[in-house]
Amino acid sequence: MAFAESIDASAGVRPDYLEMLQRVERLHRQLLDVVKDELDRTGITDLTSVQALLIFNIGDTVLTAGELRTRGHYLGSNVSYNLKKLVDLGYIAQERSEDDRRTVQISLTEAGLAVRDRLEHLFARQSEALEPSGGLTEEHMAATNTALTRIERFWTDHIRFRL
């Protein structure tokens, strides 16, 4: 049974809202599948798609795990586990901060930078194909980003102010 169908219609839940929830969840899973496909095509078998996206989101910056959680909205234990794995696999380097020895700073190694570059190339190819293959113009993308930003703000306010 689909998520939207599992909700009692008499509860007053807007069908378009339920459809949007399904799409957001499905799109996230599909993004992970797209990343995993790219990893498989290039022979990178030791990374999960979640770990590859963490690498992509770290990029050229040096940051702490806390900053990565804040920027990427990752769950704490999930980030800690994946960062440990990425250090063990040689994709991430970590060192103690000069200012605060309790803080560990992370950055990409050469291997991590290669994965980041591979995903950057993938996303560049896809962004170029959006209009000719997917029929999505820059205006469509801007409107979608505006709507998603408003939903994100709504959900953040819902949690923050216990709406």
Side-chain angles (χ1 to χ4, degrees), residues 5-162:
E5 295 168 358
S6 68
I7 303 290
D8 182 6
S10 65
V13 181
R14 291 175 43 182
D16 57 343
Y17 182 70
L18 294 177
E19 182 180 349
M20 188 252 342
L21 293 177
Q22 280 184 314
R23 287 187 189 283
V24 167
E25 185 179 11
R26 196 167 49 240
L27 282 170
H28 175 67
R29 284 194 309 269
Q30 285 180 323
L31 172 61
L32 294 176
D33 288 347
V34 165
V35 169
K36 184 61 176 157
D37 181 64
E38 184 70 13
L39 294 173
D40 290 347
R41 286 177 193 221
T42 56
I44 301 171
T45 59
D46 57 348
L47 288 177
T48 68
S49 51
V50 169
Q51 291 165 342
L53 284 172
L54 274 169
I55 288 171
F56 181 77
N57 287 324
I58 292 169
D60 292 329
T61 60
V62 176
L63 41 75
T64 67
E67 291 169 329
L68 186 60
R69 275 189 297 273
T70 302
R71 281 187 3 181
H73 308 285
Y74 300 102
L75 298 175
S77 60
N78 196 14
V79 168
S80 298
Y81 169 80
N82 282 310
L83 287 177
K84 182 179 179 339
K85 287 288 289 183
L86 291 169
V87 169
D88 292 346
L89 292 169
Y91 291 102
I92 289 181
Q94 60 181 3
E95 65 180 59
R96 295 259 172 223
S97 169
E98 295 285 329
D99 300 329
D100 182 355
R101 301 300 293 166
R102 297 170 296 172
T103 303
V104 176
Q105 295 180 317
I106 57 173
S107 60
L108 298 182
T109 63
E110 289 299 318
L113 290 168
V115 170
R116 189 271 328 259
D117 291 347
R118 169 55 53 197
L119 290 184
E120 193 170 279
H121 180 70
L122 165 68
F123 296 149
R125 273 193 339 256
Q126 289 183 334
S127 69
E128 291 299 317
L130 278 174
E131 188 166 355
S133 296
L136 292 166
T137 65
E138 287 184 34
E139 293 80 20
H140 288 121
M141 293 305 298
T144 301
N145 286 331
T146 297
L148 290 172
T149 298
R150 289 177 180 168
I151 292 165
E152 181 181 24
R153 189 176 310 127
F154 171 77
W155 285 345
T156 299
D157 288 351
H158 181 86
I159 294 166
R160 181 179 296 139
F161 302 118
R162 299 180 181 239

